[in-house]
Amino acid sequence: MDFQPKLNLRLRTPDFGLKAGHFFTFVKQEALSCLFPALVFMMLAVSHLFKVIIPRYDFMLISCISIQIIMYCTKIETKDEVLVICLFHLLGLGMELFKVHYGSWAYPEFAYTKVFGVPLYSGFMYASVASYMCQAWRRLKLRIINWPHHRTARIIGVLIYLNFFTNKFFYDVRYLIGLLILYFFWRSVVIFNLNGKLYRMPTILSFLFIGFFIWLAENLATLLGAWKYAYQHQGWAMVNYQKISSWGFLVIVSFIIVAELKMLKDGVKKPVHLIADLELSEVSDFG
């Protein structure tokens, strides 16, 4: 990923839209990037078949660890990506312990690998978001322009994560944080490569898209019994729409962590305002 500007080349107004071949390439790369989440859902779907042998949550933990080992050994994921995934697992597990303790949702089934009511596999649900982001970043050759100052981005990420905890004791300030995101990220653009053609998408729009699709995935996960909200114990019901914003904020903090880690590794010290060393002079809107 390239953040450092080498050529004084500004984005031009696009003169043609998304080609069909590029769209299918995008869908293919997105599907490949979702390999780990897809395998997790597949294991959830078949986990009930092994209930007589091993509790479902224990089966899921073994499955998630095995999938990660296989993806690393087959070089689908790199060492750095595995480390990022482990970080997200720990951050997610910490949030799960807090949320389950305060009754936001529950894991009603028995498992040997539950700690304070939280199965250890649950952290992999957050790690799957990190896996998708790392894979998409590499496969689509993502670049970012007009990224906020590192300190600003990191403070916003910390505020988002802390608000997941403090909203149980104080006011939920997600919408105030949302205003900060709009102010500091409104000019930020993601550049990605499809068959040698560069496309751009506003970073905030990508946050919303990913958050919405994770909400759809959450509906499937609760249907398969991965966890249950209080209103789902008497029978499955669609996850309420407010969770879209929750997942959206989780996507933002995840994106910030991944982007900042990549910039830290690349030694990028200042935010970039111009696109970097592009081979093509045209960058089209995605759509």
Side-chain angles (χ1 to χ4, degrees):
M1 179 172 142
D2 192 353
F3 287 87
Q4 290 287 11
K6 298 178 182 178
L7 297 178
N8 189 18
L9 181 63
R10 298 182 181 276
L11 293 177
R12 298 183 181 180
T13 303
D15 55 1
F16 58 89
L18 181 65
K19 292 182 179 180
H22 293 172
F23 174 77
F24 288 119
T25 298
F26 178 78
V27 172
K28 175 185 176 182
Q29 295 300 335
E30 286 287 297
L32 290 172
S33 300
C34 290
L35 179 60
F36 179 61
L39 291 173
V40 171
F41 279 113
M42 186 183 301
M43 293 299 101
L44 274 172
V46 303
S47 60
H48 68 281
L49 300 175
F50 300 88
K51 289 176 65 174
V52 296
I53 302 174
I54 183 174
R56 291 181 71 208
Y57 298 155
D58 298 331
F59 170 81
M60 287 302 303
L61 178 62
I62 295 172
S63 298
C64 290
I65 294 175
S66 300
I67 292 168
Q68 281 294 292
I69 292 174
I70 292 171
M71 290 182 68
Y72 175 69
C73 291
T74 56
K75 299 184 179 180
I76 296 175
E77 285 183 341
T78 66
K79 180 181 178 180
D80 287 344
E81 289 169 353
V82 171
L83 291 175
V84 172
I85 288 168
C86 289
L87 171 63
F88 273 79
H89 182 278
L90 294 175
L91 292 173
L93 193 60
M95 189 184 301
E96 287 291 310
L97 289 167
F98 180 85
K99 292 294 187 179
V100 169
H101 176 73
Y102 281 96
S104 298
W105 55 79
Y107 295 87
E109 299 181 31
F110 169 80
Y112 294 104
T113 54
K114 287 178 76 171
V115 178
F116 299 112
V118 177
L120 295 181
Y121 96 88
S122 62
F124 281 104
M125 305 301 289
Y126 299 84
S128 64
V129 177
S131 176
Y132 159 75
M133 287 192 174
C134 290
Q135 289 280 318
W137 215 295
R138 176 160 47 86
R139 292 179 182 278
L140 296 174
K141 301 177 182 177
L142 260 63
R143 306 175 187 183
I144 300 177
I145 59 172
N146 295 327
W147 186 253
H149 191 279
H150 298 310
R151 186 184 299 112
T152 300
R154 293 168 188 175
I155 289 174
I156 290 175
V158 170
L159 289 175
I160 294 172
Y161 187 73
L162 289 178
N163 188 63
F164 284 122
F165 297 87
T166 58
N167 62 15
K168 288 294 181 181
F169 311 106
F170 306 104
Y171 292 107
D172 187 345
V173 295
R174 72 177 68 188
Y175 297 112
L176 293 177
I177 297 174
L179 292 176
L180 291 177
I181 293 168
L182 288 174
Y183 180 79
F184 288 106
F185 285 87
W186 74 274
R187 293 182 64 245
S188 180
V189 178
V190 175
I191 307 295
F192 52 97
N193 189 307
L194 300 176
N195 298 334
K197 174 63 185 176
L198 298 175
Y199 290 91
R200 65 183 175 185
M201 178 184 293
T203 304
I204 291 177
L205 184 59
S206 69
F207 294 157
L208 296 175
F209 277 151
I210 298 172
F212 174 72
F213 283 109
I214 293 178
W215 175 77
L216 292 179
E218 183 183 30
N219 278 278
L220 178 59
T222 55
L223 180 63
L224 294 173
W227 64 86
K228 289 184 179 180
Y229 291 101
Y231 52 85
Q232 293 177 321
H233 286 287
Q234 302 301 320
W236 183 82
M238 181 176 288
V239 177
N240 65 56
Y241 294 106
Q242 185 184 10
K243 291 297 179 182
I244 298 178
S245 65
S246 297
W247 282 113
F249 280 106
L250 180 66
V251 167
I252 294 169
V253 70
S254 301
F255 195 98
I256 289 173
I257 291 173
V258 173
E260 288 294 324
L261 286 174
K262 286 183 175 291
M263 284 187 273
L264 182 64
K265 181 180 178 181
D266 293 341
V268 178
K269 297 181 180 180
K270 296 181 180 180
V272 175
H273 300 288
L274 300 177
I275 200 162
D277 194 22
L278 297 182
E279 297 177 358
L280 300 179
S281 60
E282 294 290 343
V283 180
S284 297
D285 289 316
F286 186 72

PDB file of all heavy atoms in Angstrom, residues 261-277:
ATOM      1  N   LEU A 261      -1.819   0.988  11.221  1.00  0.00           N
ATOM      2  CA  LEU A 261      -0.771  -0.020  11.327  1.00  0.00           C
ATOM      3  C   LEU A 261       0.023  -0.127  10.025  1.00  0.00           C
ATOM      4  O   LEU A 261       1.251  -0.271  10.041  1.00  0.00           O
ATOM      5  CB  LEU A 261      -1.370  -1.381  11.696  1.00  0.00           C
ATOM      6  CG  LEU A 261      -1.833  -1.534  13.149  1.00  0.00           C
ATOM      7  CD1 LEU A 261      -2.538  -2.877  13.342  1.00  0.00           C
ATOM      8  CD2 LEU A 261      -0.662  -1.411  14.120  1.00  0.00           C
ATOM      9  N   LYS A 262      -0.670  -0.057   8.893  1.00  0.00           N
ATOM     10  CA  LYS A 262       0.008  -0.136   7.607  1.00  0.00           C
ATOM     11  C   LYS A 262       0.887   1.098   7.382  1.00  0.00           C
ATOM     12  O   LYS A 262       2.011   0.991   6.877  1.00  0.00           O
ATOM     13  CB  LYS A 262      -1.015  -0.293   6.477  1.00  0.00           C
ATOM     14  CG  LYS A 262      -1.635  -1.690   6.418  1.00  0.00           C
ATOM     15  CD  LYS A 262      -2.579  -1.819   5.253  1.00  0.00           C
ATOM     16  CE  LYS A 262      -3.098  -3.248   5.145  1.00  0.00           C
ATOM     17  NZ  LYS A 262      -2.041  -4.184   4.728  1.00  0.00           N
ATOM     18  N   MET A 263       0.384   2.271   7.746  1.00  0.00           N
ATOM     19  CA  MET A 263       1.182   3.485   7.592  1.00  0.00           C
ATOM     20  C   MET A 263       2.372   3.482   8.541  1.00  0.00           C
ATOM     21  O   MET A 263       3.458   3.955   8.198  1.00  0.00           O
ATOM     22  CB  MET A 263       0.308   4.722   7.811  1.00  0.00           C
ATOM     23  CG  MET A 263      -0.599   5.035   6.631  1.00  0.00           C
ATOM     24  SD  MET A 263      -1.487   6.606   6.805  1.00  0.00           S
ATOM     25  CE  MET A 263      -2.933   6.068   7.699  1.00  0.00           C
ATOM     26  N   LEU A 264       2.165   2.951   9.750  1.00  0.00           N
ATOM     27  CA  LEU A 264       3.260   2.861  10.712  1.00  0.00           C
ATOM     28  C   LEU A 264       4.361   1.952  10.178  1.00  0.00           C
ATOM     29  O   LEU A 264       5.553   2.279  10.271  1.00  0.00           O
ATOM     30  CB  LEU A 264       2.735   2.331  12.048  1.00  0.00           C
ATOM     31  CG  LEU A 264       3.763   2.217  13.181  1.00  0.00           C
ATOM     32  CD1 LEU A 264       4.282   3.604  13.564  1.00  0.00           C
ATOM     33  CD2 LEU A 264       3.131   1.530  14.398  1.00  0.00           C
ATOM     34  N   LYS A 265       3.956   0.831   9.591  1.00  0.00           N
ATOM     35  CA  LYS A 265       4.941  -0.097   9.029  1.00  0.00           C
ATOM     36  C   LYS A 265       5.684   0.538   7.852  1.00  0.00           C
ATOM     37  O   LYS A 265       6.892   0.332   7.676  1.00  0.00           O
ATOM     38  CB  LYS A 265       4.252  -1.378   8.570  1.00  0.00           C
ATOM     39  CG  LYS A 265       5.224  -2.405   7.993  1.00  0.00           C
ATOM     40  CD  LYS A 265       4.512  -3.657   7.550  1.00  0.00           C
ATOM     41  CE  LYS A 265       5.508  -4.644   6.946  1.00  0.00           C
ATOM     42  NZ  LYS A 265       4.855  -5.890   6.475  1.00  0.00           N
ATOM     43  N   ASP A 266       4.961   1.322   7.033  1.00  0.00           N
ATOM     44  CA  ASP A 266       5.570   1.951   5.858  1.00  0.00           C
ATOM     45  C   ASP A 266       6.335   3.222   6.197  1.00  0.00           C
ATOM     46  O   ASP A 266       6.937   3.852   5.323  1.00  0.00           O
ATOM     47  CB  ASP A 266       4.493   2.264   4.805  1.00  0.00           C
ATOM     48  CG  ASP A 266       3.891   0.995   4.212  1.00  0.00           C
ATOM     49  OD1 ASP A 266       4.537  -0.063   4.333  1.00  0.00           O
ATOM     50  OD2 ASP A 266       2.792   1.073   3.640  1.00  0.00           O
ATOM     51  N   GLY A 267       6.268   3.637   7.473  1.00  0.00           N
ATOM     52  CA  GLY A 267       7.008   4.826   7.887  1.00  0.00           C
ATOM     53  C   GLY A 267       6.400   6.124   7.409  1.00  0.00           C
ATOM     54  O   GLY A 267       7.101   7.129   7.250  1.00  0.00           O
ATOM     55  N   VAL A 268       5.081   6.130   7.169  1.00  0.00           N
ATOM     56  CA  VAL A 268       4.413   7.350   6.714  1.00  0.00           C
ATOM     57  C   VAL A 268       4.166   8.257   7.914  1.00  0.00           C
ATOM     58  O   VAL A 268       3.496   7.875   8.865  1.00  0.00           O
ATOM     59  CB  VAL A 268       3.076   7.017   6.018  1.00  0.00           C
ATOM     60  CG1 VAL A 268       2.370   8.300   5.603  1.00  0.00           C
ATOM     61  CG2 VAL A 268       3.333   6.134   4.816  1.00  0.00           C
ATOM     62  N   LYS A 269       4.707   9.461   7.894  1.00  0.00           N
ATOM     63  CA  LYS A 269       4.615  10.362   9.029  1.00  0.00           C
ATOM     64  C   LYS A 269       3.583  11.470   8.846  1.00  0.00           C
ATOM     65  O   LYS A 269       3.127  12.064   9.815  1.00  0.00           O
ATOM     66  CB  LYS A 269       5.987  10.991   9.301  1.00  0.00           C
ATOM     67  CG  LYS A 269       7.043   9.963   9.700  1.00  0.00           C
ATOM     68  CD  LYS A 269       8.372  10.639   9.974  1.00  0.00           C
ATOM     69  CE  LYS A 269       9.430   9.596  10.381  1.00  0.00           C
ATOM     70  NZ  LYS A 269      10.742  10.230  10.646  1.00  0.00           N
ATOM     71  N   LYS A 270       3.233  11.765   7.598  1.00  0.00           N
ATOM     72  CA  LYS A 270       2.291  12.847   7.340  1.00  0.00           C
ATOM     73  C   LYS A 270       1.145  12.348   6.474  1.00  0.00           C
ATOM     74  O   LYS A 270       1.334  11.480   5.626  1.00  0.00           O
ATOM     75  CB  LYS A 270       2.982  14.020   6.633  1.00  0.00           C
ATOM     76  CG  LYS A 270       4.057  14.691   7.477  1.00  0.00           C
ATOM     77  CD  LYS A 270       4.677  15.843   6.714  1.00  0.00           C
ATOM     78  CE  LYS A 270       5.757  16.539   7.554  1.00  0.00           C
ATOM     79  NZ  LYS A 270       6.365  17.668   6.824  1.00  0.00           N
ATOM     80  N   PRO A 271      -0.067  12.904   6.671  1.00  0.00           N
ATOM     81  CA  PRO A 271      -1.175  12.523   5.805  1.00  0.00           C
ATOM     82  C   PRO A 271      -0.924  12.956   4.369  1.00  0.00           C
ATOM     83  O   PRO A 271      -0.232  13.933   4.104  1.00  0.00           O
ATOM     84  CB  PRO A 271      -2.378  13.280   6.402  1.00  0.00           C
ATOM     85  CG  PRO A 271      -1.765  14.407   7.160  1.00  0.00           C
ATOM     86  CD  PRO A 271      -0.442  13.906   7.674  1.00  0.00           C
ATOM     87  N   VAL A 272      -1.481  12.212   3.432  1.00  0.00           N
ATOM     88  CA  VAL A 272      -1.237  12.444   2.015  1.00  0.00           C
ATOM     89  C   VAL A 272      -2.422  13.176   1.397  1.00  0.00           C
ATOM     90  O   VAL A 272      -3.568  12.819   1.617  1.00  0.00           O
ATOM     91  CB  VAL A 272      -1.007  11.107   1.292  1.00  0.00           C
ATOM     92  CG1 VAL A 272      -0.880  11.332  -0.206  1.00  0.00           C
ATOM     93  CG2 VAL A 272       0.260  10.451   1.820  1.00  0.00           C
ATOM     94  N   HIS A 273      -2.142  14.206   0.610  1.00  0.00           N
ATOM     95  CA  HIS A 273      -3.197  14.981  -0.033  1.00  0.00           C
ATOM     96  C   HIS A 273      -3.242  14.764  -1.541  1.00  0.00           C
ATOM     97  O   HIS A 273      -4.182  15.179  -2.202  1.00  0.00           O
ATOM     98  CB  HIS A 273      -3.012  16.470   0.259  1.00  0.00           C
ATOM     99  CG  HIS A 273      -3.055  16.785   1.720  1.00  0.00           C
ATOM    100  ND1 HIS A 273      -4.209  16.736   2.456  1.00  0.00           N
ATOM    101  CD2 HIS A 273      -2.058  17.106   2.587  1.00  0.00           C
ATOM    102  CE1 HIS A 273      -3.955  17.047   3.717  1.00  0.00           C
ATOM    103  NE2 HIS A 273      -2.656  17.271   3.820  1.00  0.00           N
ATOM    104  N   LEU A 274      -2.225  14.132  -2.091  1.00  0.00           N
ATOM    105  CA  LEU A 274      -2.187  13.854  -3.514  1.00  0.00           C
ATOM    106  C   LEU A 274      -2.018  12.368  -3.726  1.00  0.00           C
ATOM    107  O   LEU A 274      -1.414  11.682  -2.912  1.00  0.00           O
ATOM    108  CB  LEU A 274      -1.028  14.607  -4.180  1.00  0.00           C
ATOM    109  CG  LEU A 274      -1.072  16.129  -4.071  1.00  0.00           C
ATOM    110  CD1 LEU A 274       0.173  16.720  -4.702  1.00  0.00           C
ATOM    111  CD2 LEU A 274      -2.305  16.672  -4.750  1.00  0.00           C
ATOM    112  N   ILE A 275      -2.536  11.881  -4.825  1.00  0.00           N
ATOM    113  CA  ILE A 275      -2.440  10.452  -5.092  1.00  0.00           C
ATOM    114  C   ILE A 275      -1.012  10.072  -5.443  1.00  0.00           C
ATOM    115  O   ILE A 275      -0.261  10.880  -5.989  1.00  0.00           O
ATOM    116  CB  ILE A 275      -3.414  10.041  -6.214  1.00  0.00           C
ATOM    117  CG1 ILE A 275      -3.671   8.553  -6.163  1.00  0.00           C
ATOM    118  CG2 ILE A 275      -2.931  10.467  -7.563  1.00  0.00           C
ATOM    119  CD1 ILE A 275      -4.912   8.154  -6.927  1.00  0.00           C
ATOM    120  N   ALA A 276      -0.625   8.853  -5.130  1.00  0.00           N
ATOM    121  CA  ALA A 276       0.790   8.492  -5.165  1.00  0.00           C
ATOM    122  C   ALA A 276       1.168   7.661  -6.381  1.00  0.00           C
ATOM    123  O   ALA A 276       0.609   6.606  -6.615  1.00  0.00           O
ATOM    124  CB  ALA A 276       1.132   7.712  -3.900  1.00  0.00           C
ATOM    125  N   ASP A 277       2.118   8.151  -7.163  1.00  0.00           N
ATOM    126  CA  ASP A 277       2.819   7.377  -8.186  1.00  0.00           C
ATOM    127  C   ASP A 277       1.887   6.496  -9.021  1.00  0.00           C
ATOM    128  O   ASP A 277       2.058   5.286  -9.112  1.00  0.00           O
ATOM    129  CB  ASP A 277       3.878   6.505  -7.513  1.00  0.00           C
ATOM    130  CG  ASP A 277       4.850   5.945  -8.552  1.00  0.00           C
ATOM    131  OD1 ASP A 277       4.944   6.541  -9.644  1.00  0.00           O
ATOM    132  OD2 ASP A 277       5.496   4.924  -8.271  1.00  0.00           O
TER     133      ASP A 277
END
